[in-house]
Amino acid sequence: MILSTRHTGLVVRDMEKSLIFYRDILGLSVLKQMKETGPYIERVVGIPDVTLEWIKLQAPDGSLVELIQYFSGSGAQQEIEDFPSDRIGCSHIAFTVKDVDQLYRTLIKKGYYCNSAPQISPDGSVEVMYCHDPDGIIVELVEDVA
């Protein structure tokens, strides 16, 4: 039986580029970092001879995002694409933010892809935008406005 959500894991191609996005721009803080290889992690992820690094990032409310970079396996060779919103599987990760308009301007200035400028919801309660991290993963940014 589930007690809580522990973290959301995102596989990334380049940890440093991802840290610039999630830590430096969005403001998550590094909580813990580790490189893993060997029988334990091979069994957990189901990939023989795997080597990976993970970094857990924490939001001010205590929620966690885990960035994982594989140094072996098929993920290391995948092409980067901006995933469509209707792709089957994990669609996006969403964060409640302060000043979504300023974040949008920062992301555009730094060359990140955003589907649109922030949009006010039909009920006027939130301002919402989708952007893509360095690996094309959709990140929803939501500011409460009402």
Side-chain angles (χ1 to χ4, degrees):
M1 191 171 294
I2 292 175
L3 301 176
S4 67
T5 300
R6 189 167 188 93
H7 65 261
T8 300
L10 304 174
V11 175
V12 301
R13 179 183 305 274
D14 183 319
M15 190 65 77
E16 287 307 311
K17 285 182 180 177
S18 294
L19 282 174
I20 290 169
F21 182 83
Y22 289 98
R23 180 193 60 206
D24 300 344
I25 295 174
L26 297 185
L28 299 176
S29 58
V30 174
L31 182 66
K32 191 172 182 182
Q33 178 173 354
M34 183 179 288
K35 285 194 176 180
E36 292 193 68
T37 192
Y40 163 76
I41 198 66
E42 289 174 17
R43 286 191 299 272
V44 170
V45 300
I47 301 173
D49 301 316
V50 71
T51 301
L52 61 83
E53 176 182 19
W54 57 259
I55 297 178
K56 287 206 173 54
L57 300 167
Q58 189 171 39
D61 71 349
S63 60
L64 299 175
V65 173
E66 180 182 55
L67 302 179
I68 308 163
Q69 182 176 353
Y70 285 84
F71 297 101
S72 58
S74 65
Q77 287 81 37
Q78 291 177 13
E79 291 296 316
I80 295 174
E81 62 179 287
D82 290 327
F83 296 121
S85 301
D86 61 354
R87 187 179 116 221
I88 300 297
C90 184
S91 166
H92 64 278
I93 183 168
F95 296 104
T96 301
V97 300
K98 179 176 63 174
D99 200 351
V100 71
D101 294 306
Q102 179 58 45
L103 266 174
Y104 171 72
R105 289 189 294 275
T106 299
L107 290 164
I108 292 298
K109 185 172 113 180
K110 295 189 178 285
Y112 293 99
Y113 178 75
C114 300
N115 289 6
S116 70
Q119 303 293 305
I120 300 287
S121 64
D123 69 0
S125 65
V126 292
E127 195 170 1
V128 180
M129 65 170 281
Y130 271 15
C131 63
H132 296 259
D133 81 356
D135 292 295
I137 297 167
I138 297 170
V139 177
E140 180 179 5
L141 302 174
V142 181
E143 180 178 1
D144 294 316
V145 293

